Amino acid sequence: MAEVQGLGERSGRHGRGRRGVATTLALALLIGVLSLAQGDVAGSQTKSTKKSSVTVMTSYERNLAAAMNTARKRHGLRALKLVPGLMRSAGKHSLQMAVNGYFAHSSPNGASFFARVRSFYGGGSPGYFSAGENLLWAKPRATPRAIVARWLASPGHRRVLLSSCWTVFGVGVVRSTHGAGVFRGRTVMLVTADFAVKR
């Protein structure tokens, strides 16, 4: 799944104050779950009889970030800088999806991905802030290059990954054994990539 939102504000002239301009761009709202795993699991809520465990894949995150920047450079775009705030935003979301057994941009409390990303990185009331997010779940043996190839093959994910507007990003990857909820007891890898620009 891929999604982008932006929020801009500009100062008025001659003491007219500030006015907000909110722009929401739905680059892609893909129906169904894009995954390298088998079957359509959308809407499935069956419980696993085995206890689920979740592991953060820190070295995989670094390798995936490098593969993403390699793809951007190959398409004539600048490499993005990894920032702690977006690493925390993406990591938290992948962990929440694994623990709660769901796959969506929104948080368990219903908050949008944009609100989450902005809370981790958009501080300081920037004049302009925009964020994008790519998600994917896959079998754990999927390589970082395979994840990037999957995103590049999907028009919505491709537009987010290869947008020239981003300046920073973060990735969060977890492995869930005997995944809960929609993962139906499978062992899966959950990937969140958050992109942003503020000025």
Side-chain angles (χ1 to χ4, degrees):
M1 303 177 86
E3 195 165 334
V4 171
Q5 289 186 13
L7 175 66
E9 292 183 0
R10 58 186 182 199
S11 297
R13 292 186 168 200
H14 307 295
R16 294 184 184 180
R18 297 174 69 88
R19 63 180 178 175
V21 178
T23 305
T24 302
L25 300 173
L27 285 184
L29 187 55
L30 301 179
I31 299 172
V33 175
L34 290 176
S35 75
L36 302 177
Q38 298 173 349
D40 180 4
V41 298
S44 172
Q45 295 295 326
T46 58
K47 292 184 179 179
S48 171
T49 57
K50 297 182 181 179
K51 187 175 180 180
S52 177
S53 67
V54 179
T55 306
V56 176
M57 302 174 69
T58 307
S59 62
Y60 193 99
E61 290 172 347
R62 289 192 299 270
N63 292 335
L64 177 58
M68 291 164 67
N69 269 332
T70 296
R72 287 179 59 84
K73 287 190 247 184
R74 192 180 305 125
H75 287 85
L77 299 165
R78 68 174 175 258
L80 302 178
K81 180 182 176 184
L82 279 172
V83 293
L86 293 180
M87 292 295 289
R88 289 192 297 272
S89 173
K92 176 182 179 180
H93 193 59
S94 289
L95 185 61
Q96 284 183 330
M97 289 191 295
V99 169
N100 292 283
Y102 78 102
F103 186 77
H105 289 286
S106 58
S107 297
N109 65 3
S112 69
F113 94 90
F114 185 74
R116 170 176 39 83
V117 172
R118 195 166 192 212
S119 72
F120 279 95
Y121 181 70
S125 299
Y128 176 80
F129 181 80
S130 183
E133 181 169 85
N134 276 352
L135 302 178
L136 187 128
W137 72 269
K139 292 181 179 179
R141 68 174 177 262
T143 65
R145 287 179 64 186
I147 298 296
V148 171
R150 186 74 175 192
W151 281 337
L152 290 173
S154 161
H157 293 84
R158 182 184 182 91
R159 280 191 293 268
V160 173
L161 176 61
L162 298 183
S163 173
S164 61
C165 75
W166 311 131
T167 56
V168 292
F169 75 137
V171 294
V173 184
V174 300
R175 174 189 170 107
S176 178
T177 305
H178 310 302
V182 298
F183 307 114
R184 301 191 304 187
R186 294 181 176 98
T187 295
V188 296
M189 179 171 59
L190 289 156
V191 181
T192 302
D194 287 335
F195 306 83
V197 56
K198 64 180 178 179
R199 53 182 179 268

